[in-house]
Structure formats: C-alpha cells, structure tokens
Amino acid sequence: MSKKIAILTSGGDCAGLNAVMRAVVHRSAMLGWEVIGIENGTAGLLEEPYAVRTLAAEDFDGFILRRGGTILGTTNSKNPFEYPMDDGSIKDRSDELIAAIKDLGIDAIIGIGGDGSFDILSRLANQGGLPFIGVPKTIDNDLSLTDVSVGFDTAVEVATEALDRLQPTAASHDRVMILEVMGRDARHIALYAGIAGGVDVILIPEIEYSIEGIAKKIKEVKQSGRNFALVIVSEAVKTNGGKKVEMVHSDGQTRYGGIGEYLSPKIAEATGFETRVTVLGHVQRGGSPTWNDRLLAQALGVKAVDLVDEGKFGRMVAWQNRQVVDVAIEDAIKECRTVRPHGTIVHTARSLGISFGD
Ligand code: F6P
C-alpha cells in the first residue's frame, strides 16, 4: 500500500496555491506517495462524509498551474479549536479532526498557509502526533524566515499595474490618485508597488505621516510643473489621531479598510488638487500567478514532499538567498515581518524622492 500525503490550503487565498499543489502531486507520484486534497482548510475533515478527494498527477496538467485561487477551497474563519457551530456556539473540534486524519490513514500533512494557519496546524500536530510540513503563502509577505511567500509577487504586480493605469487618468484630469492596498499588519505591498509604480508618496504605519508632510511633497510636484500625483497607502495606516481605520463586514468581523477615503478630502484641502481613491482589495489575491510565484510555489512544493519522504517534520519550507531551505515551524511564526524603516527598500524609495509623508 502506498503511503498517503494530505494537502490543504488554509487562510486567505492568493495566486500560486494550485502551482504548489501541482508540484506536490507530481513529486509525490515520482516518490510513490498517494496525495489526497482536503477541502476548505481543515474544515473538510469535520464534514460528513469527509470533503476529501484524490489528487492524481494526470489531473495536474499545465492549466492548473496558471489558475488563481485554490481548487481545494479555503477558509480563514473555521479554527478547529474555536469552531463556529451552526447554532452560534463555539466548540473545540480538534479531537474530531485528529480522529479523521487517523481514520483516513494519512501519514503526513502538507499545509499551504500563513502564520495563523501554521499556528493551528502545528497545535494539531503536537496534540495528535501528526507529521506536518508548512508551505508559506501570503500576499502580506509577513513570515519572517522566508525571503518571500507564495502570492506576494503577484499581489505587487497587480498593485503596480493599477498604478500604471491610474497614472494616465491622473494626468488627464489634473488629479491626485490615492491607491489603498492590502497587507494587513505588514506593509510590503505598498512599499514595493510604490517604488515599482513610481508614486510620489508611500504611506505605511512604520513611518508617521502628517497631512502637511504629504501636502509638502504634492506641492513640490505641482511647482515642478507636473499636474498630477500618485499616492499609495497601506490599509493598516492609521488616522492622523492614531486610530485604526476599519470596516465591519457581513460576517460581523472587523477588517482594515477606508484609510484612502479618510485621507482623500484632507489631501484635497491641503493641496488644492482634486483627489480620487481606488481600493484594490481582493483583486490583489486573484488572477494568474506571475512567473516568480509559479517558480517559488513549485520549488517549495517539491521540497515539502522531499521532507515528507525523508521523514523530517515540524518544518516550514522557505526561500532564502535563492535556495529552498527548511526551518522550524515555531521559529517561522515567532514574529511578523514588517517593513524596516531604515532598511534598503525604504532608503531606495527616499533616494528616488518618494515621500513617506513625514
Ligand atoms: O492576509 C491576507 C489579506 O488579504 C490581508 O491583506 C487582508 O487584510 C485580509 O486578508 C482580508 O481578509 P478577507 O479575505 O477575510 O477579507
């Protein structure tokens, strides 16, 4: 009987998840492992019957490599330790989940996730003695021990393309265009896309801004004879008074959103420019992965199976200095990697004349 790997995607989706799966399935076939996919994160194992399916190499042709999202589905709200039941109560279902894994004869689990998912999966692994490997994915790029996570490159590409599209319309109408991007508590998308898209102002929470600071830069732009400006703002930037800007969604949860609209009238008043806001939102997570994400996803997917085959567990595969390596899961989720205000990338931006509104 062949040994069985279960794979799942967990947390917010991003481009490149299917590419990881493809690599896992092909490498597993080569090494004699069977692969089953669990649907909707770990939640698929709490359904009756289990929401699982066999993933065969012949189903993973070149099409799936190009597809955004995750063919297995995912969730960022069904923590098995605090599972939201239909009657509104919260239940710890971790034992049921561990029993399901044993029932299915799963020998190893590969979880494609971010820090929240890895925390849950490693708690499960410790509780049930389950062999687990993590593959890092997140547009936020906030896992500290990998240079980059799957999905980040595509998100930056989408934000850069948005700036490319905003620039001509800004110039046609003499406007300041404000682009609000995701990233939760890590602000790499705003910083990277801001530089790549040639903005005038980047706003990130690590660097305190003032409306006067933003206006100063935009007025300089005007005095230089340019009739428009581009501003990129991370969703986690706070108001002038230091308050988070958030929205309550249909699931009752509060998430970042709205800082662009908060800033827009203030920038208009301080500069005399007309302003408009674009909130990029989940567009950053969808679409076909860039070549960088496809390469990264598949290199990490292959390494994850190699570790399973070697019997090395409790590890996250990572990309460091153009090599695939593996690190301890608990070290990988210890700290959230935010922007270094005095690091190379911020220095590059400042050296190009980009203002941080300070
Ligand atoms: O963590 C990924 C992310 O896209 C964040 O950048 C964003 O703040 C959040 O997820 C949005 O979450 P949801 O998909 O629940 O709206």
Side-chain angles (χ1 to χ4, degrees), residues 3-15:
K3 294 192 285 180
K4 210 182 272 178
I5 294 177
I7 185 165
L8 58 87
T9 47
S10 177
D13 74 336
C14 62

Side-chain angles (χ1 to χ4, degrees), residues 154-325:
T154 306
V156 173
E157 178 70 25
V158 170
T160 305
E161 193 197 333
L163 290 166
D164 289 350
R165 289 172 186 268
L166 288 171
Q167 186 273 323
T169 171
S172 305
H173 288 269
D174 301 351
R175 285 174 175 160
V176 173
M177 290 295 192
I178 303 167
L179 178 67
E180 179 180 316
V181 293
M182 281 185 167
R184 210 180 300 240
D185 291 307
R187 300 78 191 214
H188 306 283
I189 298 176
L191 183 59
Y192 280 58
I195 295 173
V199 302
D200 302 292
V201 181
I202 296 175
L203 298 175
I204 51 175
E206 288 84 352
I207 303 177
E208 203 176 322
Y209 73 93
S210 66
I211 300 297
E212 298 73 43
I214 301 170
K216 181 170 170 283
K217 176 66 193 179
I218 294 174
K219 283 179 188 161
E220 276 169 26
V221 166
K222 206 175 199 175
Q223 274 155 17
S224 75
R226 178 140 61 81
N227 66 335
F228 71 92
L230 297 175
V231 176
I232 191 163
V233 57
S234 155
E235 63 179 0
V237 166
K238 295 183 177 148
T239 66
N240 239 355
K243 273 176 62 183
K244 283 184 182 179
V245 184
E246 294 176 318
M247 293 167 94
V248 180
H249 290 260
S250 52
D251 59 359
Q253 299 286 320
T254 303
R255 293 178 181 82
Y256 287 124
I259 184 65
E261 288 297 349
Y262 165 84
L263 291 169
S264 177
K266 295 185 167 46
I267 295 176
E269 197 190 342
T271 62
F273 266 109
E274 215 183 304
T275 53
R276 290 289 187 276
V277 180
T278 302
V279 181
L280 212 43
H282 296 80
V283 171
Q284 293 156 100
R285 300 216 313 232
S288 188
T290 58
W291 75 264
N292 271 323
D293 268 329
R294 295 180 199 193
L295 183 84
L296 176 70
Q298 295 184 99
L300 296 179
V302 165
K303 176 73 175 178
V305 178
D306 287 346
L307 290 179
V308 168
D309 204 55
E310 285 163 29
K312 199 172 170 193
F313 294 105
R315 313 292 293 171
M316 180 188 83
V317 292
W319 185 259
Q320 290 178 0
N321 300 322
R322 295 189 288 159
Q323 294 292 327
V324 180
V325 297

